[in-house]
Amino acid sequence: MMDDLHNNIYVRHGMTKISICQHWDTPSDRINGTAAMQEVGIIPDDDDWGNMHIKKYYASLDSLIEVLEGIRDEIDQKKYSQSSCQGDARTAQASASSAT
């Protein structure tokens, strides 16, 4: 049943793996469209999800687009270390960002 409470979409930008996800606390939250967490993460080359570079997005298309464009730009500018996803981009994250 817990698998029904999250949705992940995996995409690539070049050779970099990206996860776009939504998580709900309860089945009724999913039905009502109230996500507990919505975020985009750069998956490290070593697949260590604990060191993922993550940015939250909010319940609007504009917010998701803004976060995706920011992630794309960080990948293009190589502002982070792929093996740990830490570096300039991590310290420059908006206050809405968090690591899980």
Side-chain angles (χ1 to χ4, degrees):
M1 188 67 173
M2 288 301 289
D3 287 341
D4 294 340
L5 296 179
H6 70 273
N7 180 37
N8 283 77
I9 299 169
Y10 301 103
V11 297
R12 289 187 175 269
H13 182 63
M15 297 301 294
T16 304
K17 296 181 282 184
I18 300 161
S19 169
I20 304 167
C21 73
Q22 290 181 303
H23 298 264
W24 294 270
D25 289 333
T26 67
S28 63
D29 288 341
R30 184 169 184 158
I31 292 168
N32 296 329
T34 308
M37 181 186 332
Q38 300 182 123
E39 54 192 26
V40 177
I42 298 172
I43 302 171
D45 288 341
D46 59 7
D47 287 329
D48 181 0
W49 287 54
N51 287 320
M52 229 173 154
H53 175 71
I54 295 173
K55 290 192 174 186
K56 291 191 179 287
Y57 66 93
Y58 301 99
S60 76
L61 181 58
D62 288 338
S63 176
L64 176 58
I65 290 169
E66 182 179 335
V67 168
L68 288 171
E69 287 176 339
I71 291 282
R72 180 203 55 209
D73 293 348
E74 290 174 14
I75 292 168
D76 288 347
Q77 296 169 15
K78 299 184 187 325
K79 289 189 174 183
Y80 66 93
S81 166
Q82 288 242 339
S83 62
S84 68
C85 285
Q86 295 177 352
D88 296 340
R90 188 175 259 286
T91 57
Q93 285 181 355
S95 61
S97 299
S98 70
T100 55

